[in-house]
Amino acid sequence: MDPERIQFHEMGLDDRILKAVADLGWAQPTLIQEKAIPLALDGKDLLARARTGSGKTAAYAVPLIQQILTSKQTVREQAVRALVLVPTKELGQQVQAMIRQLTAYCARDVRVADISGKAEVSAQRPILMEKPDIVVGTPSRVQAHIKAQNLELHALEVLVIDEADLLFSFGFEADLKSLICNLPKIYQAFLMSATLSDDVQALKELVLHNPVTLKLQGSQLPDSSQLQQYSVKCEEEDKFLLIYTLLKLGLVRGKTLIFVSSLDRCYRLKLFLEQFSVPACVLNSELPVHSRCHIISQFNQGFYDYIIATDEQGLDKPTADSQSAKNKEKKKKKKKSKTGKDKEYGVSRGVDFQNIANVINFDFPTSVESYIHRVGRTARADNKGTALTFVSHSEVLLLEEVESALTGDSGNCALKPYGFRMEEIEGFRYRCRDAMRSVTKQAVKEARLKEIKQELLNSEKLKMYFEDNPRDLQLLRHDKDLHPAIIKPHMKNVPEYLIPSTLKSLVNPLLRRKKKLKTHPKGVMITPLKKNNRGKNPLKSFRYTRKASKQKNKS
Ligand code: AMP
C-alpha cells in the first residue's frame, strides 16, 4: 500500500460503500479511482481516458452510489437517478455486477437494473416500473424504453457513458443523440473511453459541462514491475512449434489469452493443440451471445486455461434491438472491413477477463492501439502478468511501431526480446509438422460448423433446461475436442528425450507424471534457456558395450 496515495476511507464515502470495498479486498484505489472519485464527489463532470482493467467502473460507480445515498436522505420519491450507457450486453452485465457488489450493504437504498440484455422490451417493463435507482443499458434499448414510456428520466442526476468510443464504433451514435434530447437540463456526466477520438470529443461537447479531463499514464499499460512484455521472432511454422512447447511443457502457467488474426486461425490453432490433447476454447463472434458469455464466465471461474480469440469486428456484438442500429452497425462493419482499419473490437475490449496471467499474441496486432488493448487484458488491478508476442518477418514493421510507442522518456523500451533458443526445441518440429498436416482447411471448416451447431443447441434448446438446472450448466464445457482432424494417441505425451535438457528443470514435474496441470493463479511465463546440456535422447545416448554385444552373439 502506498501511503502517498489517497485511500478510500479518506474520500468521505458512506460506511456501507467502504465496507463493500473492503469485502472486495481492494487495498487502495487504482490511479483512475484516486483521481476521479474526489472530483466526481465534488460535482465535476469528467472525461476520463481509461481502459478496461484500470478500475474505471468503480471510478464512476462509487461516486454515483454515494450521490444516490446522499440524495435519498432528503428526497423521498423513488425515481431513476442514474443512467449508465454501455455498448454491449457483456459490459452491461459486468457493470451491474460491480454495482451490486459495491451496494451489497445498501441494496435496499440503491437498486440497479441492467436492461442491456436480449429479453423483449415488453418483458423488461416490470423491472423499470419499479424505478430502479440506476439503469444500465445500451443506447438503443434505453431509447426503446423511453419511446414505450417505460422509462422516465426527469429525476436523472448522473449520466455515465462507458466505453464511449465503442458506442460510436457500434453505430449507436444516432440513438445516443436522440436519447440525450430526452434528458433533463441539469445532470452530472461521466464519459469513459479507452481513446479520445474525434467522435468522443464531439460527444464531450454535447453532454459535458466544464469537464475535467483525466488522461492518466496508468490508462496505457502498467510498468515492467507489474507487466513483463516480450517479443520473439519466429515464422509461421515456428509459431506453432513455440506455442506447442510453451503450453505442452507447462512453461506458460495460469490463464492465458491467445490472440490470432482470424477466426479460421483460431480453429486452426485449436485443432493443432487438440492433436496434443491441449484443450482450448475459441471465443467466436459467430457463436450465440449466450455461449460467449458462458465461456467468459467459466474462464473467469477457472474452468479453462486457454482462450483463443481474434479481434475481428463484431466479436462483442451489441444487443441492439432496433433494426436501425443493426443496419447501421452492418454498414459500419462493411465500411471498416474495406479499409482494414480499426479491427480492435470484441474480446479485447470491454470484456472483463479476470486474472489473466498471460497474453500471447500468436499473430501480431494490427496497430499500436490494438497491441495495448490486447496486452492490457493481463496485469490488471494489482496483479502481475506477462505478454509474449510472436513476430514474423512481415510483422517486423508493426513491431517497430509498438516498440517506439512503448519507449519511455528514459529511452527504455518496455517490450524486450524473449531469449528463447528455437534450435533447442528442434526435436519437436517433426511432431508439430505432423499435427499441422492433419489440420487441413476442410478440418477447420468442419470444426467451425460443428461448434456453431453445438453452441446453438446449447444456447437455444437447452436454455430452458439450464434455467431449471443451473448446476448442469456448470458441467457444460466449451473446450471439448472438435476433432475433425485425426488424433494420434501418442501425440498426447511428450517423450522425455525430446525435452531440451535446459528446459527440464522448468518443465512442470506434474506434466511429466502425466497428471493434470493445476492452474497457477498468478502464474508467470518462464523465460530463457541457459545452458546447452546433452539431453537424454536415446538415439544420441546409446552406447555400444562389449557385454551387450557378447550376449547378442550368444543368442
Ligand atoms: P474495470 O477497469 O472496471 O473493468 O476493473 C477491472 C478489475 O479491477 C475488476 O475485476 C475490478 O474488480 C478490479 N478492481 C477495481 N478497482 C480495484 C481496486 N481498487 N483494487 C483492486 N482491484 C480493483
Side-chain angles (χ1 to χ4, degrees):
M1 202 160 80
D2 184 352
E4 300 283 293
R5 308 255 302 260
I6 302 176
Q7 304 303 318
F8 282 113
H9 68 268
E10 294 168 324
M11 293 176 171
L13 296 169
D14 191 287
D15 280 350
R16 290 167 286 180
I17 301 177
L18 291 175
K19 238 172 136 187
V21 166
D23 282 0
L24 282 162
W26 298 351
Q28 63 180 18
T30 63
L31 202 57
I32 178 94
Q33 292 164 0
E34 188 196 350
K35 303 288 176 218
I37 296 173
L39 285 165
L41 290 175
D42 215 21
K44 297 270 189 305
D45 278 9
L46 295 180
L47 169 59
R49 188 181 70 184
R51 61 181 173 89
T52 306
S54 57
K56 68 171 171 66
T57 316
Y60 65 74
V62 166
L64 190 154
I65 296 164
Q66 177 67 45
Q67 164 76 20
I68 294 173
L69 287 172
T70 312
S71 280
K72 286 209 155 176
Q73 287 174 355
T74 49
V75 187
R76 289 258 150 253
E77 181 205 3
Q78 181 63 35
V80 175
R81 292 176 198 282
L83 177 64
V84 182
L85 297 175
V86 290
T88 65
K89 178 189 169 191
E90 284 89 341
L91 188 59
Q93 281 179 344
Q94 282 164 34
V95 170
Q96 172 172 258
M98 171 97 310
I99 295 176
R100 290 238 161 103
Q101 284 173 312
L102 289 169
T103 53
Y105 294 97
C106 52
R108 274 165 176 249
D109 290 312
V110 184
R111 278 177 285 152
V112 57
D114 169 29
I115 53 161
S116 59
K118 233 179 165 183
E120 291 292 313
V121 170
S122 54
Q124 290 178 336
R125 189 180 148 86
I127 307 171
L128 291 174
M129 287 298 104
E130 292 187 10
K131 301 196 172 123
D133 302 275
I134 306 170
V135 170
V136 183
T138 57
S140 57
R141 182 49 68 108
V142 170
Q143 182 63 0
H145 279 295
I146 293 175
K147 273 196 185 149
Q149 297 186 330
N150 299 337
L151 181 60
E152 172 49 62
L153 293 171
H154 73 277
L156 191 83
E157 292 172 26
V158 184
L159 170 73
V160 181
I161 304 184
D162 199 354
E163 299 269 357
D165 49 350
L166 275 195
L167 283 173
F168 283 97
S169 316
F170 285 161
F172 280 124
E173 192 178 345
D175 283 318
L176 191 61
K177 284 184 178 156
S178 56
L179 190 160
I180 288 167
C181 298
N182 288 302
L183 302 182
K185 279 220 160 62
I186 298 172
Y187 53 85
Q188 189 180 11
F190 308 140
L191 224 159
M192 320 299 280
S193 183
T195 56
L196 300 183
S197 60
D198 291 347
D199 286 335
V200 175
Q201 296 291 351
L203 189 61
K204 170 185 155 188
E205 305 297 322
L206 211 62
V207 292
L208 302 180
H209 309 277
N210 293 329
V212 178
T213 304
L214 298 172
K215 286 190 214 170
L216 306 173
Q217 260 223 315
S219 60
Q220 289 295 306
L221 288 173
D223 66 25
S224 58
S225 63
Q226 196 186 341
L227 169 68
Q228 294 188 306
Q229 299 177 67
Y230 299 103
S231 68
V232 57
K233 295 210 169 117
C234 51
E235 297 311 321
E236 179 66 359
E237 187 177 286
D238 289 354
K239 287 184 175 182
F240 285 88
L241 179 59
L242 186 53
I243 197 104
Y244 163 82
T245 311
L246 293 173
L247 303 191
K248 194 66 196 175
L249 298 191
L251 300 179
V252 166
R253 309 231 176 119
K255 285 198 279 181
T256 302
L257 196 51
I258 306 169
F259 283 102
V260 295
S261 58
S262 69
L263 259 181
D264 266 358
R265 273 175 85 70
C266 278
Y267 284 94
R268 196 168 153 70
L269 185 56
K270 178 181 163 71
L271 293 183
F272 170 80
L273 293 173
E274 233 172 55
Q275 299 272 310
F276 303 105
S277 298
V278 176
C281 302
V282 170
L283 198 56
N284 173 356
S285 58
E286 294 171 346
L287 300 182
V289 167
H290 179 70
S291 302
R292 273 152 43 203
C293 288
H294 192 233
I295 292 172
I296 294 162
S297 116
Q298 287 195 328
F299 186 62
N300 284 343
Q301 289 170 56
F303 278 61
Y304 319 118
D305 280 341
Y306 311 120
I307 283 201
I308 308 171
T310 67
D311 34 32
E312 279 180 320
Q313 293 174 28
L315 198 54
D316 210 356
K317 242 193 314 190
T319 48
D321 31 6
S322 73
Q323 197 53 44
S324 70
K326 278 184 188 160
N327 290 341
K328 266 176 263 158
E329 192 193 335
K330 269 187 205 158
K331 269 189 208 157
K332 199 122 191 173
K333 271 190 204 166
K334 264 191 197 161
K335 207 170 110 193
K336 290 206 168 147
S337 55
K338 259 189 211 160
T339 59
K341 279 186 194 161
D342 204 9
K343 276 191 160 185
E344 184 59 22
Y345 281 80
V347 287
S348 63
R349 295 291 304 270
V351 173
D352 184 18
F353 285 109
Q354 285 158 11
N355 298 326
I356 302 249
N358 314 291
V359 167
I360 297 180
N361 286 316
F362 188 85
D363 294 321
F364 207 89
T366 50
S367 65
V368 174
E369 206 214 351
S370 156
Y371 177 88
I372 288 171
H373 282 303
R374 285 181 179 189
V375 169
R377 300 308 95 205
T378 184
R380 297 175 59 177
D382 292 329
N383 296 330
K384 291 200 178 213
T386 308
L388 175 63
T389 302
F390 296 178
V391 190
S392 69
H393 72 278
S394 61
E395 296 164 336
V396 168
L397 282 179
L398 281 164
L399 171 71
E400 284 168 6
E401 270 182 49
V402 169
E403 279 174 338
S404 76
L406 295 179
T407 302
D409 297 339
S410 59
N412 275 340
C413 179
L415 184 54
K416 308 263 184 261
Y418 184 51
F420 198 94
R421 296 196 195 135
M422 291 299 290
E423 64 275 14
E424 302 243 355
I425 55 170
E426 265 314 301
F428 294 130
R429 187 176 296 277
Y430 182 74
R431 51 182 39 223
C432 283
R433 263 191 201 153
D434 204 12
M436 284 172 82
R437 261 197 302 272
S438 309
V439 185
T440 58
K441 269 190 181 166
Q442 188 59 24
V444 169
K445 203 171 145 192
E446 283 172 23
R448 275 179 78 163
L449 269 173
K450 186 172 172 189
E451 184 161 67
I452 288 175
K453 273 191 202 156
Q454 254 173 23
E455 295 295 336
L456 274 176
L457 188 77
N458 292 344
S459 182
E460 298 302 329
K461 287 206 182 140
L462 303 183
K463 205 167 138 207
M464 300 273 276
Y465 172 81
F466 287 134
E467 269 166 18
D468 296 337
N469 303 276
R471 288 186 60 186
D472 287 4
L473 185 62
Q474 294 287 310
L475 302 174
L476 187 71
R477 293 189 68 95
H478 301 270
D479 62 347
K480 283 189 191 145
D481 286 357
L482 287 172
H483 53 75
I486 303 146
I487 293 186
K488 296 173 187 134
H490 72 277
M491 301 277 260
K492 183 178 173 185
N493 305 319
V494 184
E496 185 93 10
Y497 70 86
L498 282 183
I499 303 174
S501 50
T502 45
L503 282 180
K504 280 198 170 134
S505 61
L506 303 177
V507 172
N508 196 318
L510 287 174
L511 186 91
R512 277 193 273 156
R513 270 188 259 131
K514 294 179 201 163
K515 282 191 181 165
K516 201 174 181 292
L517 178 66
K518 242 185 154 184
T519 305
H520 191 291
K522 286 184 185 171
V524 273
M525 206 163 305
I526 295 165
T527 18
L529 309 181
K530 295 266 159 57
K531 291 183 289 173
N532 192 1
N533 296 333
R534 227 178 123 83
K536 280 188 186 164
N537 184 340
L539 299 175
K540 286 185 188 164
S541 60
F542 179 74
R543 296 264 184 281
Y544 176 82
T545 61
R546 258 168 200 277
K547 212 174 156 187
S549 91
K550 272 184 193 166
Q551 271 179 351
K552 211 177 169 194
N553 288 340
K554 265 188 206 168
S555 61

